[in-house]
Amino acid sequence: MQRITITIEDELLAWVDQVMRRRGYPSRSEAFRDLVRESLGREAAAADPERPCVATLTYVYDHERRDLARRLTHVQHHHHDLNVATLHVHLGHETCLEVAVLRGPSSSVQEAADAVVTQRGVRHGHLHVVPGSDVG
Ligand code: NI
């Protein structure tokens, strides 16, 4: 661990403090470390497409929508080598939530995620990537 000193605008620091309190971080340092990790994780994936990662892909869709459930299954099977597990929750009469755990090279994981979230009728698609150094 190293100690660094940074200069930051009052307004930006107030924003960080607000996030820190809302999320329940025990200290500014812990909040800053997480914010930096979050940002660098995205950069690492972009800089090195072959870098291994594990990721969760979350999305919502209506299973009654014509052909969508079949299209999503097709996309998932196409990327079966990356798919570790999928959790399916029936949120309502038509609405489903799925969380897919993906593992593989960053670019392939991003590609698989894009193939799902760009399907017509898929909403709130979000990929959370944990970069290689933390994958084990
Ligand atoms: Ni369902």
Side-chain angles (χ1 to χ4, degrees):
M1 239 2 148
Q2 292 195 38
R3 182 182 296 266
I4 59 164
T5 306
I6 61 165
T7 307
I8 186 171
E9 295 93 331
D10 294 352
E11 201 178 314
L12 190 54
L13 185 59
W15 198 0
V16 172
D17 284 343
Q18 200 185 335
V19 170
M20 183 187 132
R21 278 192 300 274
R22 200 174 55 232
R23 293 191 188 173
Y25 283 110
S27 68
R28 274 180 176 164
S29 289
E30 190 57 37
F32 271 107
R33 282 194 291 269
D34 259 9
L35 290 168
V36 170
R37 269 187 212 112
E38 201 175 304
S39 177
L40 291 183
R42 283 197 300 271
E43 286 304 313
D48 181 3
E50 291 308 310
R51 187 186 172 97
C53 74
V54 64
T56 53
L57 174 64
T58 308
Y59 52 98
V60 168
Y61 68 97
D62 290 346
H63 74 91
E64 294 287 359
R65 196 180 172 120
R66 197 172 64 84
D67 223 25
L68 180 55
R70 194 191 63 79
R71 274 187 283 131
L72 285 173
T73 305
H74 178 80
V75 168
Q76 285 165 357
H77 277 270
H78 185 69
H79 297 279
H80 65 91
D81 50 325
L82 303 170
N83 202 289
V84 178
T86 304
L87 168 73
H88 183 105
V89 180
H90 309 304
L91 284 183
H93 288 289
E94 289 100 34
T95 312
C96 302
L97 166 76
E98 284 193 349
V99 182
V101 178
L102 305 168
R103 186 175 206 164
S106 302
S107 59
S108 308
V109 166
Q110 184 65 57
E111 204 175 294
D114 289 343
V116 169
V117 302
T118 56
Q119 293 291 323
R120 190 189 298 269
V122 171
R123 309 187 300 277
H124 305 291
H126 180 73
L127 181 69
H128 180 211
V129 177
V130 178
S133 55
D134 271 342
V135 171

